[in-house]
């Protein structure tokens, strides 16, 4: 009984943290979409470097809603000893875990599939850069933030912007490609500036162990959550 109570408490605390985190993320997402002006003012004074990533309100709402759902299922399933909630929590975590493992296997074992996916992603990215950069505020701010953080320009290179809608309208490349020097002309772009694909591959090669460690940590937490929920599910069933 002591072990069961401990697992029940840990399940409640762990999912309670997830639930509160989801509420916070959801609240930020709603705040951004409803009253973006005041949020921008506060964020600009507190963390100016994050000003370019605030146009992700819908993403925050979606992530926050999902976290709230998971936290609610875990907490209520443990407190109310609901086998239905615990099993639903277990199934959702299991689906996420299987999807992560399947994605890792595809990336590691089928390099040709990975190349095809990267090629497809590149075609889509270049198309958006060519026609939507400078036209869509959200896409533009996300790309600016990406290029600024990775110190890159375009998906493959700065040539992705050549003859684009943005270039034809402004007769220059995005200022972020020239370290925010405006007007950004071709001769001002540092030849060492890579495309974002190459910059991401370089970042991943340098930080692969950290990324792998984080991924393993997440998988371990997911496995622990599944084991605990399954143990509670079985114990409640035996006690009924």
């Amino acid at each position: 009984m002591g072990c069961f109570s401990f697992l029940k408490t840990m399940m409640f605390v762990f999912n309670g943290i997830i639930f509160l985190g989801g509420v916070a993320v959801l609240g930020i997402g709603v705040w951004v979409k409803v009253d973006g002006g005041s949020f921008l003012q506060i964020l600009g004074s507190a963390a100016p470097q994050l000003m370019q990533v605030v146009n992700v309100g819908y993403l925050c709402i979606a992530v926050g809603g999902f976290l709230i759902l998971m936290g609610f299922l875990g907490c209520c399933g443990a407190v109310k000893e609901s086998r239905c909630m615990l099993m639903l929590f277990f199934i959702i975590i299991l689906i996420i875990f299987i999807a992560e493992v399947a994605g890792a296997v595809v990336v590691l074992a089928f390099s040709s599939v990975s190349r095809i996916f990267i090629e497809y992603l590149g075609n889509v990215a270049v198309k958006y850069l060519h026609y939507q950069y400078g036209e869509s505020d959200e896409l533009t701010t996300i790309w600016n933030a990406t290029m600024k953080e990775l110190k890159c320009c375009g998906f493959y290179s700065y040539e992705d912007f050549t003859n684009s809608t943005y270039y034809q309208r402004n007769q220059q490349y995005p200022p972020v490609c020239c370290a925010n020097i405006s007007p950004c002309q071709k001769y001002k772009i540092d030849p060492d500036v890579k495309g974002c694909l190459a910059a991401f591959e370089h970042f991943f090669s340098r930080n692969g162990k950290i990324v792998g460690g984080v991924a393993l940590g997440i998988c371990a937490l997911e496995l622990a959550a599944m084991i605990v929920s399954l143990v509670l599910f079985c114990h409640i069933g035996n006690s009924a």
Side-chain angles (χ1 to χ4, degrees):
M1 183 61 68
C3 182
F4 174 75
S5 299
F6 174 74
L7 291 177
K8 185 176 175 179
T9 302
M10 290 303 297
M11 187 78 170
F12 176 80
V13 172
F14 178 72
N15 285 281
I17 294 173
I18 292 178
F19 182 85
L20 293 176
V23 171
V25 174
L26 178 64
I28 291 174
V30 172
W31 185 10
V32 170
K33 302 311 296 183
V34 173
D35 189 17
S38 62
F39 181 81
L40 286 172
Q41 185 177 4
I42 294 174
L43 184 63
S45 59
Q49 67 274 16
L50 297 179
M51 285 289 289
Q52 291 180 309
V53 297
V54 295
N55 288 323
V56 289
Y58 291 122
L59 178 61
C60 288
I61 292 173
V63 172
F66 178 77
L67 292 176
I68 288 174
L69 174 62
M70 295 303 299
F72 175 79
L73 288 174
C75 285
C76 288
V79 173
K80 295 182 176 294
E81 298 185 4
S82 169
R83 300 184 80 216
C84 180
M85 287 185 176
L86 288 172
M87 181 51 64
L88 185 56
F89 177 85
F90 174 83
I91 291 173
I92 294 175
I93 295 294
L94 179 62
I95 291 173
I96 295 173
F97 182 78
I98 292 174
E100 291 171 349
V101 172
V105 169
V106 169
V107 170
L108 295 175
F110 302 102
S111 57
S112 59
V113 175
S114 301
R115 287 195 296 271
I116 293 173
F117 174 75
I118 291 175
E119 183 178 350
Y120 171 77
L121 181 64
N123 291 334
V124 173
V126 171
K127 180 180 178 181
Y128 274 105
L129 287 176
H130 204 81
Y131 296 106
Q132 295 297 319
Y133 184 87
E135 304 294 318
S136 169
D137 291 338
E138 291 196 356
L139 183 142
T140 302
T141 51
I142 290 172
W143 265 104
N144 281 341
T146 301
M147 292 190 292
K148 181 178 180 181
E149 291 302 319
L150 293 179
K151 295 180 174 58
C152 58
C153 182
F155 187 81
Y156 294 111
S157 71
Y158 69 89
E159 293 288 354
D160 294 338
F161 291 103
T162 302
N163 296 323
S164 65
T165 301
Y166 178 87
Y167 186 86
Q168 291 175 354
R169 174 179 296 176
N170 299 281
Q171 294 300 306
Q172 64 170 326
Y173 292 90
V176 68
C177 295
C178 296
N180 291 322
I181 298 174
S182 186
C184 180
Q185 301 298 338
K186 185 174 182 178
Y187 66 89
K188 294 182 180 179
I189 299 176
D190 190 334
D192 292 332
V193 173
K194 306 180 180 68
C196 289
L197 175 61
F200 178 78
E201 290 175 341
H202 178 69
F203 171 84
F204 191 80
S205 65
R206 291 183 57 187
N207 301 278
K209 292 182 179 180
I210 297 176
V211 174
V214 171
L216 287 175
I218 293 174
C219 288
L221 286 175
E222 290 171 347
L223 280 172
M226 286 191 290
I227 292 171
V228 171
S229 62
L230 196 58
V231 168
L232 293 177
F233 177 86
C234 294
H235 189 277
I236 294 170
N238 293 332
S239 301

